[in-house]
């Protein structure tokens, strides 16, 4: 349910999807052919296990939740159709259209395994779509583990000039000293995300014309006369957004506490160390380069939407390059010996930020104070968290974030319930205040700080197999784009109610996975959302021949018509508009057969079946979804 605005508990990590939580039971001797593999996130004391499910193709394979809409092609600019505001104080560049495809330190996994583990993913789809994924992790010693991830998404698409080509890399490592008092975590990622920008098709009328059954023959607004050079490695995209993101994080911890030796059996003793006080230092370096490139202006699109003089064969180029270096020092106390989920954390972070544009640069600093109290009881019945972050000096002075949540496990029948509240006061993202291209520069120095409050009630029940999240948002000074390059703020207060529910119904061997989201805005605000979004999967599920886990059926996805956001290619931003209603002519329909045989999984899918009896649905004005597509995804994992 992480994609439904429930968030990770306390913002310090979590499972999401259907990962299982496990406690360390102190059993450290395994059979030679048994794999024991767990992972953690930074700052989260809970262990998680690898999810081998084949129930959800979007989560289990694509890594893109079903409630995210794209601009029509796999890997293109995307946003959550279940609205999720940015609730993080401090500096933000503002380029988030491709976030769902990239690595971050927040989703880095730090593994612990008794045997080397490898995983391979491969997908082939219509129009030469391909996805490759590689994961490997191993413990070199009991105290050192490293992991490597690589993922490539390459899809020429059904329409002109919408080719995507993503390469993402990640390396993580974890080291613990022999006496278990010192711990080091290392996280590195590099994202190279390239998305073709075609500005949408020129008219929706082409979709109903039999002359344009081949969607490549439909005229688009950008790159219409250009011919891209497709190659799995080395694709050239004529008009594109390119995001190059590098992140390096090193976190070092040193503990004071109590150590003792446990007698496992006649030949084995196990030494454990239980900290009472910890000093933690975190170094974080990020280099983000956001670019838009059109080497051959062949359209009046820029004149209509950005006010540029039409100059044939001219180059349009925009760039924002940001470098951030932060140093964080935290002091952590564990009041209850042996319970790492119960702690008090006080710290300070100093940030140095520099921006480089085509004809200018900027430098500034920030000092933020932060604190957290977390109490996750050993009996797993209660989980309480309260934390705050305040910017006291620098460019973002006055920014703050306050978060609190209380979770209670009632019993196995009634499950878990959670109450949480968040309030964030933040400087608007920099792209709303300044944008620079080789043709023009825009400023908006009138923006005030945004303030967003979220109240949430959530319930999770594993026995009855349902999840519920009720979110209530309040917005003040909500910042948005009023057209393709002008930013504005809604100074009046308005709010948004969300109710998101999912449940699995079983009548063996048949299952029904139902997901429904209701959204309603109250008050006058520049925010449009569909009233209803829903997805339903009707499947036949059975274990055959002892090893074949089969799941086959139909999937339906639908949302009500609404004035969906437009998209500004030059700025890489979704744009509020209130004139064009994007209609769903019929539900998006897919037929699928997913199965797993031991360590091998396959996803066979026929998607967009609705185009055989209705016109293509749209994600945004002039951005239709693909025609019928076939996809075959394969996943293997190996124990070396």
């Amino acid at each position: 349910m992480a994609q439904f605005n429930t968030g990770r508990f306390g913002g310090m990590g979590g499972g999401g999807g259907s990962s299982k939580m496990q406690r360390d039971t102190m059993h450290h001797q395994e059979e030679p052919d048994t794999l024991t593999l767990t992972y953690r996130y930074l700052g989260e004391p809970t262990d998680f296990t690898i999810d081998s499910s084949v129930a959800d193709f979007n989560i289990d394979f694509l890594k893109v939740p079903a409630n995210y809409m794209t601009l029509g092609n796999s890997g293109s600019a995307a946003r959550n159709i279940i609205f999720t505001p940015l609730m993080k104080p401090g500096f933000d560049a503002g380029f988030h259209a491709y976030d769902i495809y990239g690595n971050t330190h927040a989703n880095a996994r730090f593994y612990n395994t008794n045997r080397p583990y490898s995983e391979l993913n491969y997908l082939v789809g219509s129009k030469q779509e391909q996805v490759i994924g590689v994961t490997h992790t191993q413990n070199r010693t009991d105290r050192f583990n490293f992991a490597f991830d690589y993922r490539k998404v390459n899809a020429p698409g059904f329409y002109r000039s919408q080719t995507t080509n993503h390469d993402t890399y990640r390396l993580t490592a974890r080291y613990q000293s022999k006496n278990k008092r010192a711990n080091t975590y290392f996280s590195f990622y590099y994202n190279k995300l390239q998305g073709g920008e075609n500005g949408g098709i020129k008219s929706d009328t082409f979709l109903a014309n039999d002359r344009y059954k081949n969607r490549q023959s439909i005229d688009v607004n950008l790159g219409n006369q250009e011919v891209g050079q497709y190659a799995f490695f080395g694709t050239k995209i004529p008009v594109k957004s390119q995001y190059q993101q590098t992140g390096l994080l090193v976190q070092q911890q040193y503990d004071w506490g109590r150590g003792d030796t446990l007698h496992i059996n006649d030949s084995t003793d196990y030494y454990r160390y239980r900290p009472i006080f910890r000093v933690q230092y975190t170094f974080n370096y990020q280099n983000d380069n956001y670019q838009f490139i059109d080497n051959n202006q062949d359209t009046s699109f820029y004149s209509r939407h950005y006010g540029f003089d039409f100059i044939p064969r001219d180059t349009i180029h925009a760039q924002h390059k940001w470098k951030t270096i932060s140093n964080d020092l935290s002091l952590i106390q564990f009041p209850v010996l042996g319970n790492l989920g119960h702690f008090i954390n006080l710290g300070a972070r100093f940030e140095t930020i520099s921006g480089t544009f085509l004809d200018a640069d900027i430098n500034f600093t920030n000092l933020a104070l932060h604190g957290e109290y977390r109490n996750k009881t050993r009996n797993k019945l209660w989980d309480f968290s309260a934390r705050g972050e305040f910017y006291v000096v620098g460019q973002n002075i006055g920014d703050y974030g306050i978060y609190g949540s209380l979770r209670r496990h009632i019993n196995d029948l009634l499950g878990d319930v959670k109450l949480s509240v968040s309030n964030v006061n933040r400087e608007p993202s920099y792209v709303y205040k300044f944008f620079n291209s080789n043709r023009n520069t825009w400023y908006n120095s009138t923006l005030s700080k945004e303030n967003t409050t979220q109240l949430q009630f959530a319930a999770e029940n594993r026995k009855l197999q349902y999840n519920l999240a009720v979110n209530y948002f309040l917005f003040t000074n909500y910042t948005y784009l009023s057209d393709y390059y002008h930013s504005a703020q809604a100074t009046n207060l308005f709010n948004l109610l969300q109710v998101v529910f999912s449940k699995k119904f079983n009548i063996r061997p048949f299952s029904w996975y139902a997901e429904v989201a209701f959204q309603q805005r109250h008050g006058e605000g520049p925010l449009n959302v569909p009233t209803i979004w829903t997805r339903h999967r009707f499947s036949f599920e059975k274990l055959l021949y002892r090893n074949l886990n089969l799941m086959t059926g139909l999937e339906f996805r639908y949302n009500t018509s609404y004035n969906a956001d437009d998209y500004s290619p030059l700025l890489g931003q979704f744009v509020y508009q209130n004139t064009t209603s994007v209609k769903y002519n019929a539900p998006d329909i897919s037929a699928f057969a997913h199965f797993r045989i031991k360590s091998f999984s396959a996803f066979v899918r026929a998607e967009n079946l609705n185009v055989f009896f209705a016109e293509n649905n749209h994600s945004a004005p002039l951005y239709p979804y693909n025609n019928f597509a076939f996809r075959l995804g394969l996943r293997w994992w190996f124990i070396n």
Side-chain angles (χ1 to χ4, degrees):
M1 295 294 291
Q3 67 267 31
F4 291 147
N5 294 334
T6 59
R8 287 181 177 164
F9 188 86
M12 300 273 304
S18 57
S19 298
K20 300 177 181 178
M21 296 185 181
Q22 290 189 344
R23 293 180 60 190
D24 185 354
T25 60
M26 301 304 298
H27 179 64
H28 299 275
Q29 300 298 312
E30 304 290 345
E31 296 297 328
D33 58 349
T34 300
L35 174 69
T36 302
L37 175 63
T38 60
Y39 62 88
R40 290 186 177 184
Y41 298 102
L42 277 176
E44 171 60 47
T46 304
D47 287 333
F48 300 90
T49 58
I50 296 294
D51 188 357
S52 61
S53 172
V54 294
D56 192 339
F57 174 71
N58 290 83
I59 294 293
D60 301 329
F61 196 94
L62 283 187
K63 315 299 183 185
V64 179
N67 47 287
Y68 270 75
M69 50 122 308
T70 71
L71 292 183
N73 190 25
S74 177
S76 60
R79 64 180 178 87
N80 194 345
I81 204 168
I82 302 176
F83 181 73
T84 308
L86 179 63
M87 297 190 67
K88 182 180 181 300
F91 171 79
D92 176 67
F95 298 90
H96 299 291
Y98 290 85
D99 277 0
I100 194 66
Y101 309 110
N103 293 321
T104 65
H105 297 309
N107 59 27
R109 295 179 176 183
F110 297 89
Y111 293 91
N112 185 26
T113 178
N114 67 325
R115 302 188 67 189
Y117 171 84
S118 301
E119 183 176 315
L120 300 177
N121 296 271
Y122 179 71
L123 178 142
V124 60
S126 299
K127 302 297 180 180
Q128 298 180 294
E129 177 191 9
Q130 294 186 79
V131 176
I132 287 180
V134 179
T135 298
H136 177 77
T137 182
Q138 61 175 283
N139 279 33
R140 297 301 300 170
T141 68
D142 290 341
R143 297 178 285 114
F144 176 73
N145 172 276
F146 75 90
F148 171 78
D149 288 291
Y150 169 73
R151 186 170 179 85
K152 185 176 186 67
V153 177
N154 190 289
F158 282 67
Y159 301 87
R160 294 184 193 175
S161 192
Q162 67 168 188
T163 300
T164 58
N165 186 35
H166 303 333
D167 294 278
T168 59
Y169 306 81
R170 190 208 306 276
L171 178 64
T172 62
R174 175 190 55 81
Y175 173 78
Q176 186 176 59
S177 64
K178 187 174 182 180
N179 61 8
K180 300 194 175 183
R181 297 184 64 177
N183 296 278
T184 300
Y185 296 89
F186 172 86
S187 172
F188 170 82
Y189 67 81
Y190 174 70
N191 303 322
K192 185 177 181 181
L193 311 174
Q194 300 180 93
E197 305 286 7
N198 63 15
I201 62 176
K202 289 194 172 182
S203 174
D204 288 338
T205 59
F206 293 130
L207 299 173
N209 192 324
D210 289 341
R211 293 175 53 193
Y212 299 100
K213 287 185 177 180
N214 178 7
R215 300 309 193 197
Q216 284 284 338
S217 62
I218 295 178
D219 284 346
V220 295
N221 286 304
L222 295 177
N224 198 51
Q225 305 302 323
E226 297 290 336
V227 179
Q229 298 181 18
Y230 172 76
F232 190 62
F233 294 99
T235 298
K236 293 185 179 180
I237 306 174
V239 185
K240 66 179 178 180
S241 292
Q242 178 172 283
Y243 295 2
Q244 293 175 284
Q245 304 166 322
T246 303
L248 172 65
L249 181 145
V250 178
Q251 185 175 96
Q252 295 178 298
Q253 303 168 345
Y254 191 81
D255 296 339
W256 287 265
R258 190 176 303 168
D260 51 35
T261 301
L262 298 179
H263 186 65
I264 304 298
N265 52 46
D266 292 341
S267 60
T268 304
D269 290 329
Y270 174 74
Y271 178 76
R272 67 177 179 181
Y273 191 83
R274 293 175 290 177
I276 297 175
F277 182 76
R278 171 177 293 169
V279 176
Q280 178 176 284
Y281 168 73
T282 305
F283 171 82
N284 191 357
Y285 168 83
Q286 288 184 233
N287 192 331
D288 302 316
N289 187 0
Y290 308 100
Q291 295 185 75
F292 174 86
I293 303 169
D294 183 351
N295 290 319
N296 185 5
Q297 179 186 354
D298 63 351
T299 175
S300 61
F301 181 85
Y302 298 103
S303 302
R304 294 198 314 271
H305 292 293
Y306 302 101
F308 293 167
D309 294 333
F310 178 56
I311 304 176
R313 321 299 293 183
D314 189 29
T315 296
I316 306 295
H317 185 205
Q319 175 177 295
H320 279 214
K321 186 175 182 180
W322 292 98
K323 183 186 296 183
T324 302
I325 299 175
S326 72
N327 293 272
D328 187 295
L329 181 64
S330 297
L331 305 178
I332 306 171
Q333 183 184 14
F334 301 93
V336 178
L337 191 66
N339 184 6
L340 298 183
H342 187 187
F343 61 83
I344 301 170
N345 183 333
L346 296 174
R349 181 175 64 255
F350 183 76
E351 302 172 340
T352 301
I353 302 168
S354 61
T356 302
F357 316 107
L358 293 178
D359 57 3
D361 61 305
I362 188 173
N363 296 277
F364 53 87
T365 59
N366 282 317
L367 175 64
L369 305 180
H370 58 84
E372 178 178 7
Y373 173 74
R374 175 83 178 268
N375 187 0
K376 187 172 185 177
T377 58
R378 288 184 176 182
N379 59 14
K380 297 185 179 181
L381 295 182
W382 293 94
D383 195 342
F384 172 75
S385 176
R387 60 189 176 95
E389 186 175 12
F390 305 88
Y391 281 77
V392 295
V393 176
Q395 177 76 15
N396 292 91
I397 185 173
D399 282 19
Y400 68 81
I402 303 173
Y403 316 87
S405 64
L406 176 65
R407 182 167 186 156
R408 163 70 174 175
H409 176 74
I410 301 175
N411 53 47
D412 290 342
L413 177 62
L414 299 178
D416 295 6
V417 295
K418 173 185 164 185
L419 296 173
S420 65
V421 59
S422 305
N423 178 254
V424 174
N425 197 67
R426 61 182 300 273
E427 195 79 12
S429 298
Y430 204 84
V431 70
Y432 294 123
K433 299 189 293 182
F434 172 83
F435 187 80
N436 179 241
S437 75
N438 65 335
R439 296 291 297 276
N440 208 342
T441 299
W442 302 287
Y443 300 87
N444 188 344
S445 59
T446 64
L447 299 179
S448 302
K449 289 187 182 293
E450 300 176 313
N451 190 278
T452 306
T453 300
Q454 178 184 5
L455 306 175
Q456 182 186 90
F457 168 80
E460 179 183 1
N461 192 307
R462 294 185 180 182
K463 186 176 182 64
L464 299 181
Q465 296 180 295
Y466 74 81
N467 289 275
L468 171 69
V470 181
N471 295 293
Y472 188 73
F473 295 98
L474 297 97
F475 302 96
T476 303
N477 292 332
Y478 177 77
T479 309
Y480 64 101
L481 284 184
S482 57
D483 60 28
Y484 273 48
Y485 64 96
H486 286 114
S487 61
Q489 279 188 322
T491 56
N492 57 298
L493 174 69
F494 69 96
N495 53 62
L496 174 69
L497 173 66
Q498 287 180 344
V499 181
V500 184
F501 178 77
S502 67
K503 177 170 173 56
K504 179 182 178 182
F505 299 90
N506 282 315
I507 305 177
R508 295 180 182 274
F510 299 98
S511 297
W512 171 23
Y513 297 81
E515 301 168 54
V516 181
F518 169 81
Q519 301 181 100
Q520 187 175 63
R521 187 196 69 206
H522 298 274
E524 294 299 321
L527 174 64
N528 290 323
V529 293
T531 303
I532 299 292
W533 174 88
T534 186
R535 179 174 69 146
H536 299 272
R537 288 167 288 161
F538 301 94
S539 63
F540 171 85
E541 300 180 18
K542 195 172 182 62
L543 176 63
L544 303 174
Y545 309 109
R546 294 190 300 178
N547 291 319
L548 174 60
N549 293 274
L550 175 66
M551 177 182 179
T552 183
L554 294 173
E555 177 179 323
F556 300 84
R557 184 165 48 185
Y558 178 80
N559 62 260
T560 53
S561 301
Y562 72 114
N563 293 331
D565 286 352
D566 203 349
Y567 180 73
S568 173
L570 182 61
L571 275 70
Q573 306 294 316
F574 287 94
V575 179
Y576 170 76
Q577 62 88 21
N578 208 26
T579 58
T580 304
S581 177
V582 174
K583 297 181 179 179
Y584 253 53
N585 302 299
D588 292 321
I589 304 174
S590 301
F592 62 86
H594 303 168
F595 63 87
R596 178 168 63 86
I597 303 174
K598 294 185 177 180
S599 61
F600 172 80
S601 299
F603 302 83
V604 184
R605 299 177 61 86
E607 299 183 340
N608 302 325
L609 298 175
N610 45 292
V611 299
F612 290 118
F613 57 86
E615 288 186 16
N616 302 67
N617 291 320
H618 286 61
S619 60
L622 299 178
Y623 283 95
Y625 282 123
N626 292 338
N627 272 8
F628 168 77
F630 172 81
R631 279 173 159 172
L632 172 63
L634 307 175
R635 178 187 180 190
W636 300 270
W637 54 93
F638 308 94
I639 304 172
N640 300 332

